[in-house]
PDB file of all heavy atoms in Angstrom:
ATOM      1  N   ARG C   1       0.847  -1.188   0.000  1.00 38.00           N
ATOM      2  CA  ARG C   1       0.000   0.000   0.000  1.00 38.00           C
ATOM      3  C   ARG C   1       0.875   1.227   0.000  1.00 38.00           C
ATOM      4  O   ARG C   1       2.042   1.153   0.257  1.00 38.00           O
ATOM      5  CB  ARG C   1      -0.910   0.020   1.250  1.00 38.00           C
ATOM      6  CG  ARG C   1      -0.183  -0.395   2.510  1.00 38.00           C
ATOM      7  CD  ARG C   1       0.142   0.661   3.479  1.00 38.00           C
ATOM      8  NE  ARG C   1      -0.894   1.589   3.740  1.00 38.00           N
ATOM      9  CZ  ARG C   1      -0.617   2.844   4.007  1.00 38.00           C
ATOM     10  NH1 ARG C   1       0.627   3.284   3.971  1.00 38.00           N
ATOM     11  NH2 ARG C   1      -1.579   3.677   4.296  1.00 38.00           N
ATOM     12  N   PHE C   2       0.282   2.345  -0.375  1.00 34.00           N
ATOM     13  CA  PHE C   2       1.092   3.549  -0.283  1.00 34.00           C
ATOM     14  C   PHE C   2       0.371   4.818  -0.625  1.00 34.00           C
ATOM     15  O   PHE C   2      -0.758   4.840  -1.021  1.00 34.00           O
ATOM     16  CB  PHE C   2       2.351   3.437  -1.116  1.00 34.00           C
ATOM     17  CG  PHE C   2       3.270   4.532  -0.811  1.00 34.00           C
ATOM     18  CD1 PHE C   2       3.678   4.717   0.469  1.00 34.00           C
ATOM     19  CD2 PHE C   2       3.662   5.403  -1.781  1.00 34.00           C
ATOM     20  CE1 PHE C   2       4.498   5.762   0.792  1.00 34.00           C
ATOM     21  CE2 PHE C   2       4.469   6.444  -1.465  1.00 34.00           C
ATOM     22  CZ  PHE C   2       4.891   6.621  -0.181  1.00 34.00           C
ATOM     23  N   PHE C   3       1.157   5.801  -0.517  1.00 40.00           N
ATOM     24  CA  PHE C   3       1.035   7.206  -0.817  1.00 40.00           C
ATOM     25  C   PHE C   3       0.147   7.912   0.165  1.00 40.00           C
ATOM     26  O   PHE C   3      -0.026   7.487   1.284  1.00 40.00           O
ATOM     27  CB  PHE C   3       0.576   7.433  -2.237  1.00 40.00           C
ATOM     28  CG  PHE C   3       0.795   8.829  -2.719  1.00 40.00           C
ATOM     29  CD1 PHE C   3       1.655   9.660  -2.071  1.00 40.00           C
ATOM     30  CD2 PHE C   3       0.130   9.304  -3.819  1.00 40.00           C
ATOM     31  CE1 PHE C   3       1.866  10.942  -2.508  1.00 40.00           C
ATOM     32  CE2 PHE C   3       0.337  10.579  -4.262  1.00 40.00           C
ATOM     33  CZ  PHE C   3       1.202  11.389  -3.605  1.00 40.00           C
ATOM     34  N   ILE C   4      -0.354   9.016  -0.248  1.00 39.00           N
ATOM     35  CA  ILE C   4      -1.151   9.850   0.606  1.00 39.00           C
ATOM     36  C   ILE C   4      -2.487   9.157   0.748  1.00 39.00           C
ATOM     37  O   ILE C   4      -3.291   9.152  -0.161  1.00 39.00           O
ATOM     38  CB  ILE C   4      -1.338  11.222  -0.034  1.00 39.00           C
ATOM     39  CG1 ILE C   4       0.018  11.730  -0.488  1.00 39.00           C
ATOM     40  CG2 ILE C   4      -1.991  12.188   0.895  1.00 39.00           C
ATOM     41  CD1 ILE C   4      -0.086  12.771  -1.520  1.00 39.00           C
ATOM     42  N   SER C   5      -2.700   8.524   1.893  1.00 41.00           N
ATOM     43  CA  SER C   5      -3.887   7.702   2.039  1.00 41.00           C
ATOM     44  C   SER C   5      -5.154   8.497   1.781  1.00 41.00           C
ATOM     45  O   SER C   5      -6.142   7.966   1.296  1.00 41.00           O
ATOM     46  CB  SER C   5      -3.928   7.095   3.445  1.00 41.00           C
ATOM     47  OG  SER C   5      -3.913   8.111   4.430  1.00 41.00           O
ATOM     48  N   THR C   6      -5.129   9.763   2.098  1.00 39.00           N
ATOM     49  CA  THR C   6      -6.310  10.585   1.861  1.00 39.00           C
ATOM     50  C   THR C   6      -6.662  10.646   0.383  1.00 39.00           C
ATOM     51  O   THR C   6      -7.815  10.485  -0.006  1.00 39.00           O
ATOM     52  CB  THR C   6      -6.067  12.003   2.367  1.00 39.00           C
ATOM     53  OG1 THR C   6      -4.964  12.561   1.671  1.00 39.00           O
ATOM     54  CG2 THR C   6      -5.762  12.013   3.842  1.00 39.00           C
ATOM     55  N   ALA C   7      -5.669  10.869  -0.448  1.00 43.00           N
ATOM     56  CA  ALA C   7      -5.936  11.009  -1.873  1.00 43.00           C
ATOM     57  C   ALA C   7      -6.306   9.682  -2.495  1.00 43.00           C
ATOM     58  O   ALA C   7      -7.177   9.598  -3.362  1.00 43.00           O
ATOM     59  CB  ALA C   7      -4.715  11.588  -2.576  1.00 43.00           C
ATOM     60  N   LEU C   8      -5.663   8.618  -2.055  1.00 39.00           N
ATOM     61  CA  LEU C   8      -5.988   7.302  -2.590  1.00 39.00           C
ATOM     62  C   LEU C   8      -7.432   6.952  -2.277  1.00 39.00           C
ATOM     63  O   LEU C   8      -8.189   6.504  -3.133  1.00 39.00           O
ATOM     64  CB  LEU C   8      -5.060   6.250  -1.964  1.00 39.00           C
ATOM     65  CG  LEU C   8      -3.616   6.230  -2.442  1.00 39.00           C
ATOM     66  CD1 LEU C   8      -2.810   5.244  -1.611  1.00 39.00           C
ATOM     67  CD2 LEU C   8      -3.549   5.848  -3.900  1.00 39.00           C
ATOM     68  N   ALA C   9      -7.766   7.135  -0.999  1.00 39.00           N
ATOM     69  CA  ALA C   9      -9.101   6.740  -0.588  1.00 39.00           C
ATOM     70  C   ALA C   9     -10.165   7.590  -1.240  1.00 39.00           C
ATOM     71  O   ALA C   9     -11.258   7.125  -1.549  1.00 39.00           O
ATOM     72  CB  ALA C   9      -9.212   6.843   0.938  1.00 39.00           C
ATOM     73  N   ALA C  10      -9.847   8.845  -1.464  1.00 37.00           N
ATOM     74  CA  ALA C  10     -10.832   9.758  -2.035  1.00 37.00           C
ATOM     75  C   ALA C  10     -10.980   9.604  -3.537  1.00 37.00           C
ATOM     76  O   ALA C  10     -11.851  10.190  -4.141  1.00 37.00           O
ATOM     77  CB  ALA C  10     -10.452  11.194  -1.718  1.00 37.00           C
ATOM     78  N   GLY C  11     -10.111   8.816  -4.126  1.00 38.00           N
ATOM     79  CA  GLY C  11     -10.186   8.648  -5.567  1.00 38.00           C
ATOM     80  C   GLY C  11      -9.477   9.729  -6.327  1.00 38.00           C
ATOM     81  O   GLY C  11      -9.515   9.770  -7.549  1.00 38.00           O
ATOM     82  N   ALA C  12      -8.837  10.662  -5.600  1.00 38.00           N
ATOM     83  CA  ALA C  12      -8.058  11.680  -6.294  1.00 38.00           C
ATOM     84  C   ALA C  12      -6.874  11.058  -6.986  1.00 38.00           C
ATOM     85  O   ALA C  12      -6.399  11.542  -7.995  1.00 38.00           O
ATOM     86  CB  ALA C  12      -7.584  12.741  -5.310  1.00 38.00           C
ATOM     87  N   ILE C  13      -6.373   9.963  -6.421  1.00 35.00           N
ATOM     88  CA  ILE C  13      -5.301   9.209  -7.050  1.00 35.00           C
ATOM     89  C   ILE C  13      -5.683   7.744  -6.959  1.00 35.00           C
ATOM     90  O   ILE C  13      -5.939   7.238  -5.883  1.00 35.00           O
ATOM     91  CB  ILE C  13      -3.962   9.397  -6.329  1.00 35.00           C
ATOM     92  CG1 ILE C  13      -3.696  10.870  -6.069  1.00 35.00           C
ATOM     93  CG2 ILE C  13      -2.841   8.751  -7.078  1.00 35.00           C
ATOM     94  CD1 ILE C  13      -2.541  11.094  -5.154  1.00 35.00           C
ATOM     95  N   ALA C  14      -5.703   7.070  -8.060  1.00 34.00           N
ATOM     96  CA  ALA C  14      -5.876   5.638  -8.010  1.00 34.00           C
ATOM     97  C   ALA C  14      -4.584   5.020  -7.519  1.00 34.00           C
ATOM     98  O   ALA C  14      -3.518   5.614  -7.593  1.00 34.00           O
ATOM     99  CB  ALA C  14      -6.222   5.079  -9.389  1.00 34.00           C
ATOM    100  N   THR C  15      -4.676   3.804  -6.959  1.00 35.00           N
ATOM    101  CA  THR C  15      -3.472   3.150  -6.473  1.00 35.00           C
ATOM    102  C   THR C  15      -2.457   3.068  -7.589  1.00 35.00           C
ATOM    103  O   THR C  15      -2.684   2.461  -8.623  1.00 35.00           O
ATOM    104  CB  THR C  15      -3.799   1.725  -5.981  1.00 35.00           C
ATOM    105  OG1 THR C  15      -4.788   1.818  -4.974  1.00 35.00           O
ATOM    106  CG2 THR C  15      -2.563   1.073  -5.411  1.00 35.00           C
ATOM    107  N   PRO C  16      -1.279   3.713  -7.435  1.00 35.00           N
ATOM    108  CA  PRO C  16      -0.308   3.779  -8.516  1.00 35.00           C
ATOM    109  C   PRO C  16       0.449   2.494  -8.691  1.00 35.00           C
ATOM    110  O   PRO C  16       0.293   1.540  -7.942  1.00 35.00           O
ATOM    111  CB  PRO C  16       0.625   4.904  -8.060  1.00 35.00           C
ATOM    112  CG  PRO C  16       0.532   4.890  -6.579  1.00 35.00           C
ATOM    113  CD  PRO C  16      -0.850   4.454  -6.251  1.00 35.00           C
ATOM    114  N   ALA C  17       1.327   2.512  -9.710  1.00 36.00           N
ATOM    115  CA  ALA C  17       2.084   1.312 -10.008  1.00 36.00           C
ATOM    116  C   ALA C  17       2.874   0.840  -8.811  1.00 36.00           C
ATOM    117  O   ALA C  17       3.039  -0.351  -8.596  1.00 36.00           O
ATOM    118  CB  ALA C  17       3.020   1.576 -11.183  1.00 36.00           C
ATOM    119  N   CYS C  18       3.369   1.759  -8.003  1.00 39.00           N
ATOM    120  CA  CYS C  18       4.194   1.350  -6.884  1.00 39.00           C
ATOM    121  C   CYS C  18       3.376   0.798  -5.731  1.00 39.00           C
ATOM    122  O   CYS C  18       3.912   0.373  -4.730  1.00 39.00           O
ATOM    123  CB  CYS C  18       5.062   2.501  -6.401  1.00 39.00           C
ATOM    124  SG  CYS C  18       4.161   3.804  -5.595  1.00 39.00           S
ATOM    125  N   ALA C  19       2.062   0.770  -5.863  1.00 39.00           N
ATOM    126  CA  ALA C  19       1.243   0.210  -4.799  1.00 39.00           C
ATOM    127  C   ALA C  19       0.453  -0.991  -5.273  1.00 39.00           C
ATOM    128  O   ALA C  19      -0.472  -1.443  -4.652  1.00 39.00           O
ATOM    129  CB  ALA C  19       0.303   1.271  -4.250  1.00 39.00           C
ATOM    130  N   ALA C  20       0.831  -1.533  -6.404  1.00 37.00           N
ATOM    131  CA  ALA C  20       0.137  -2.689  -6.920  1.00 37.00           C
ATOM    132  C   ALA C  20       0.467  -3.916  -6.108  1.00 37.00           C
ATOM    133  O   ALA C  20       1.455  -3.991  -5.408  1.00 37.00           O
ATOM    134  CB  ALA C  20       0.526  -2.913  -8.382  1.00 37.00           C
ATOM    135  N   ASP C  21      -0.388  -4.938  -6.192  1.00 39.00           N
ATOM    136  CA  ASP C  21      -0.091  -6.192  -5.527  1.00 39.00           C
ATOM    137  C   ASP C  21       1.122  -6.837  -6.160  1.00 39.00           C
ATOM    138  O   ASP C  21       1.362  -6.734  -7.355  1.00 39.00           O
ATOM    139  CB  ASP C  21      -1.288  -7.158  -5.628  1.00 39.00           C
ATOM    140  CG  ASP C  21      -2.472  -6.655  -4.812  1.00 39.00           C
ATOM    141  OD1 ASP C  21      -2.231  -5.898  -3.846  1.00 39.00           O
ATOM    142  OD2 ASP C  21      -3.606  -7.024  -5.141  1.00 39.00           O
ATOM    143  N   GLU C  22       1.890  -7.560  -5.333  1.00 41.00           N
ATOM    144  CA  GLU C  22       3.128  -8.146  -5.804  1.00 41.00           C
ATOM    145  C   GLU C  22       2.905  -9.562  -6.321  1.00 41.00           C
ATOM    146  O   GLU C  22       2.171 -10.328  -5.739  1.00 41.00           O
ATOM    147  CB  GLU C  22       4.140  -8.215  -4.658  1.00 41.00           C
ATOM    148  CG  GLU C  22       4.432  -6.875  -4.048  1.00 41.00           C
ATOM    149  CD  GLU C  22       5.289  -7.019  -2.819  1.00 41.00           C
ATOM    150  OE1 GLU C  22       5.882  -8.086  -2.634  1.00 41.00           O
ATOM    151  OE2 GLU C  22       5.374  -6.063  -2.061  1.00 41.00           O
ATOM    152  N   PRO C  23       3.577  -9.960  -7.397  1.00 39.00           N
ATOM    153  CA  PRO C  23       3.610 -11.345  -7.759  1.00 39.00           C
ATOM    154  C   PRO C  23       4.458 -12.093  -6.762  1.00 39.00           C
ATOM    155  O   PRO C  23       5.329 -11.519  -6.114  1.00 39.00           O
ATOM    156  CB  PRO C  23       4.270 -11.334  -9.148  1.00 39.00           C
ATOM    157  CG  PRO C  23       5.075 -10.095  -9.163  1.00 39.00           C
ATOM    158  CD  PRO C  23       4.372  -9.113  -8.293  1.00 39.00           C
ATOM    159  N   ASP C  24       4.178 -13.379  -6.578  1.00 39.00           N
ATOM    160  CA  ASP C  24       5.004 -14.111  -5.630  1.00 39.00           C
ATOM    161  C   ASP C  24       6.356 -14.437  -6.233  1.00 39.00           C
ATOM    162  O   ASP C  24       6.625 -14.213  -7.402  1.00 39.00           O
ATOM    163  CB  ASP C  24       4.280 -15.393  -5.155  1.00 39.00           C
ATOM    164  CG  ASP C  24       3.956 -16.343  -6.301  1.00 39.00           C
ATOM    165  OD1 ASP C  24       4.721 -16.374  -7.288  1.00 39.00           O
ATOM    166  OD2 ASP C  24       2.948 -17.064  -6.199  1.00 39.00           O
ATOM    167  N   ALA C  25       7.250 -14.972  -5.377  1.00 36.00           N
ATOM    168  CA  ALA C  25       8.629 -15.199  -5.803  1.00 36.00           C
ATOM    169  C   ALA C  25       8.704 -16.184  -6.952  1.00 36.00           C
ATOM    170  O   ALA C  25       9.565 -16.080  -7.830  1.00 36.00           O
ATOM    171  CB  ALA C  25       9.452 -15.688  -4.616  1.00 36.00           C
ATOM    172  N   ALA C  26       7.792 -17.155  -6.969  1.00 35.00           N
ATOM    173  CA  ALA C  26       7.828 -18.129  -8.059  1.00 35.00           C
ATOM    174  C   ALA C  26       7.544 -17.472  -9.388  1.00 35.00           C
ATOM    175  O   ALA C  26       8.183 -17.760 -10.402  1.00 35.00           O
ATOM    176  CB  ALA C  26       6.807 -19.237  -7.781  1.00 35.00           C
ATOM    177  N   ASP C  27       6.564 -16.549  -9.389  1.00 35.00           N
ATOM    178  CA  ASP C  27       6.275 -15.833 -10.628  1.00 35.00           C
ATOM    179  C   ASP C  27       7.463 -14.994 -11.060  1.00 35.00           C
ATOM    180  O   ASP C  27       7.770 -14.878 -12.239  1.00 35.00           O
ATOM    181  CB  ASP C  27       5.045 -14.925 -10.438  1.00 35.00           C
ATOM    182  CG  ASP C  27       3.772 -15.728 -10.265  1.00 35.00           C
ATOM    183  OD1 ASP C  27       3.757 -16.899 -10.702  1.00 35.00           O
ATOM    184  OD2 ASP C  27       2.814 -15.194  -9.684  1.00 35.00           O
ATOM    185  N   GLN C  28       8.154 -14.400 -10.088  1.00 36.00           N
ATOM    186  CA  GLN C  28       9.288 -13.555 -10.415  1.00 36.00           C
ATOM    187  C   GLN C  28      10.402 -14.358 -11.061  1.00 36.00           C
ATOM    188  O   GLN C  28      10.972 -13.962 -12.074  1.00 36.00           O
ATOM    189  CB  GLN C  28       9.794 -12.865  -9.145  1.00 36.00           C
ATOM    190  CG  GLN C  28       8.808 -11.857  -8.605  1.00 36.00           C
ATOM    191  CD  GLN C  28       9.238 -11.342  -7.255  1.00 36.00           C
ATOM    192  OE1 GLN C  28      10.162 -11.860  -6.653  1.00 36.00           O
ATOM    193  NE2 GLN C  28       8.557 -10.327  -6.773  1.00 36.00           N
ATOM    194  N   SER C  29      10.742 -15.483 -10.460  1.00 35.00           N
ATOM    195  CA  SER C  29      11.852 -16.258 -10.988  1.00 35.00           C
ATOM    196  C   SER C  29      11.502 -16.906 -12.305  1.00 35.00           C
ATOM    197  O   SER C  29      12.377 -17.213 -13.116  1.00 35.00           O
ATOM    198  CB  SER C  29      12.247 -17.341  -9.968  1.00 35.00           C
ATOM    199  OG  SER C  29      11.153 -18.204  -9.725  1.00 35.00           O
ATOM    200  N   ALA C  30      10.213 -17.100 -12.566  1.00 34.00           N
ATOM    201  CA  ALA C  30       9.818 -17.731 -13.814  1.00 34.00           C
ATOM    202  C   ALA C  30       9.746 -16.755 -14.968  1.00 34.00           C
ATOM    203  O   ALA C  30       9.649 -17.137 -16.127  1.00 34.00           O
ATOM    204  CB  ALA C  30       8.449 -18.402 -13.638  1.00 34.00           C
ATOM    205  N   ALA C  31       9.789 -15.461 -14.660  1.00 34.00           N
ATOM    206  CA  ALA C  31       9.671 -14.471 -15.729  1.00 34.00           C
ATOM    207  C   ALA C  31      10.890 -14.526 -16.632  1.00 34.00           C
ATOM    208  O   ALA C  31      12.005 -14.320 -16.194  1.00 34.00           O
ATOM    209  CB  ALA C  31       9.518 -13.076 -15.132  1.00 34.00           C
ATOM    210  N   SER C  32      10.679 -14.758 -17.884  1.00 33.00           N
ATOM    211  CA  SER C  32      11.796 -14.866 -18.818  1.00 33.00           C
ATOM    212  C   SER C  32      12.041 -13.564 -19.547  1.00 33.00           C
ATOM    213  O   SER C  32      13.099 -13.352 -20.116  1.00 33.00           O
ATOM    214  CB  SER C  32      11.520 -15.965 -19.844  1.00 33.00           C
ATOM    215  OG  SER C  32      10.321 -15.688 -20.543  1.00 33.00           O
ATOM    216  N   THR C  33      11.056 -12.651 -19.522  1.00 38.00           N
ATOM    217  CA  THR C  33      11.198 -11.380 -20.217  1.00 38.00           C
ATOM    218  C   THR C  33      10.688 -10.261 -19.329  1.00 38.00           C
ATOM    219  O   THR C  33       9.687 -10.413 -18.648  1.00 38.00           O
ATOM    220  CB  THR C  33      10.396 -11.394 -21.535  1.00 38.00           C
ATOM    221  OG1 THR C  33      10.834 -12.477 -22.332  1.00 38.00           O
ATOM    222  CG2 THR C  33      10.588 -10.084 -22.282  1.00 38.00           C
ATOM    223  N   ILE C  34      11.373  -9.183 -19.335  1.00 38.00           N
ATOM    224  CA  ILE C  34      10.897  -7.994 -18.637  1.00 38.00           C
ATOM    225  C   ILE C  34      10.478  -6.979 -19.680  1.00 38.00           C
ATOM    226  O   ILE C  34      11.277  -6.560 -20.503  1.00 38.00           O
ATOM    227  CB  ILE C  34      11.985  -7.400 -17.746  1.00 38.00           C
ATOM    228  CG1 ILE C  34      12.392  -8.418 -16.679  1.00 38.00           C
ATOM    229  CG2 ILE C  34      11.515  -6.112 -17.109  1.00 38.00           C
ATOM    230  CD1 ILE C  34      13.434  -7.912 -15.738  1.00 38.00           C
ATOM    231  N   VAL C  35       9.221  -6.613 -19.630  1.00 43.00           N
ATOM    232  CA  VAL C  35       8.724  -5.596 -20.547  1.00 43.00           C
ATOM    233  C   VAL C  35       8.790  -4.263 -19.821  1.00 43.00           C
ATOM    234  O   VAL C  35       8.376  -4.136 -18.682  1.00 43.00           O
ATOM    235  CB  VAL C  35       7.284  -5.913 -20.987  1.00 43.00           C
ATOM    236  CG1 VAL C  35       6.760  -4.827 -21.907  1.00 43.00           C
ATOM    237  CG2 VAL C  35       7.232  -7.270 -21.665  1.00 43.00           C
ATOM    238  N   VAL C  36       9.324  -3.258 -20.490  1.00 44.00           N
ATOM    239  CA  VAL C  36       9.481  -1.971 -19.823  1.00 44.00           C
ATOM    240  C   VAL C  36       8.120  -1.408 -19.434  1.00 44.00           C
ATOM    241  O   VAL C  36       7.178  -1.425 -20.211  1.00 44.00           O
ATOM    242  CB  VAL C  36      10.246  -0.976 -20.713  1.00 44.00           C
ATOM    243  CG1 VAL C  36       9.414  -0.478 -21.866  1.00 44.00           C
ATOM    244  CG2 VAL C  36      10.727   0.189 -19.873  1.00 44.00           C
ATOM    245  N   THR C  37       8.004  -1.003 -18.177  1.00 48.00           N
ATOM    246  CA  THR C  37       6.844  -0.284 -17.703  1.00 48.00           C
ATOM    247  C   THR C  37       7.203   1.191 -17.692  1.00 48.00           C
ATOM    248  O   THR C  37       8.340   1.543 -17.431  1.00 48.00           O
ATOM    249  CB  THR C  37       6.466  -0.747 -16.284  1.00 48.00           C
ATOM    250  OG1 THR C  37       6.214  -2.148 -16.311  1.00 48.00           O
ATOM    251  CG2 THR C  37       5.239  -0.026 -15.774  1.00 48.00           C
ATOM    252  N   ALA C  38       6.239   2.052 -17.958  1.00 59.00           N
ATOM    253  CA  ALA C  38       6.529   3.483 -17.981  1.00 59.00           C
ATOM    254  C   ALA C  38       7.229   3.897 -16.700  1.00 59.00           C
ATOM    255  O   ALA C  38       6.924   3.406 -15.617  1.00 59.00           O
ATOM    256  CB  ALA C  38       5.238   4.272 -18.161  1.00 59.00           C
ATOM    257  N   SER C  39       8.181   4.808 -16.832  1.00 70.00           N
ATOM    258  CA  SER C  39       8.905   5.273 -15.654  1.00 70.00           C
ATOM    259  C   SER C  39       7.970   5.943 -14.660  1.00 70.00           C
ATOM    260  O   SER C  39       8.244   5.969 -13.469  1.00 70.00           O
ATOM    261  CB  SER C  39      10.011   6.245 -16.067  1.00 70.00           C
ATOM    262  OG  SER C  39       9.456   7.382 -16.696  1.00 70.00           O
ATOM    263  N   ARG C  40       6.856   6.493 -15.146  1.00 77.00           N
ATOM    264  CA  ARG C  40       5.869   7.101 -14.272  1.00 77.00           C
ATOM    265  C   ARG C  40       4.514   6.463 -14.508  1.00 77.00           C
ATOM    266  O   ARG C  40       4.151   6.152 -15.640  1.00 77.00           O
ATOM    267  CB  ARG C  40       5.798   8.608 -14.510  1.00 77.00           C
ATOM    268  CG  ARG C  40       7.099   9.295 -14.158  1.00 77.00           C
ATOM    269  CD  ARG C  40       7.193  10.697 -14.678  1.00 77.00           C
ATOM    270  NE  ARG C  40       8.608  11.053 -14.853  1.00 77.00           N
ATOM    271  CZ  ARG C  40       9.026  12.057 -15.577  1.00 77.00           C
ATOM    272  NH1 ARG C  40       8.163  12.814 -16.217  1.00 77.00           N
ATOM    273  NH2 ARG C  40      10.314  12.310 -15.678  1.00 77.00           N
TER     274      ARG C  40
END
């Protein structure tokens, strides 16, 4: 979770990329390709 909880909860900011749910370690190690995600 993250950021300014007020803005997230109010819908002023949707949960950003840095607050997304994490894949588990197995998914991470199985990833054969990394596709660039926007820097922002």
Side-chain angles (χ1 to χ4, degrees):
R1 42 107 44 213
F2 191 56
F3 196 17
I4 311 159
S5 58
T6 60
L8 286 174
I13 312 169
T15 303
C18 70
D21 292 335
E22 302 173 16
D24 60 31
D27 291 338
Q28 292 172 350
S29 60
S32 58
T33 303
I34 298 181
V35 178
V36 73
T37 302
S39 62
R40 296 166 206 163

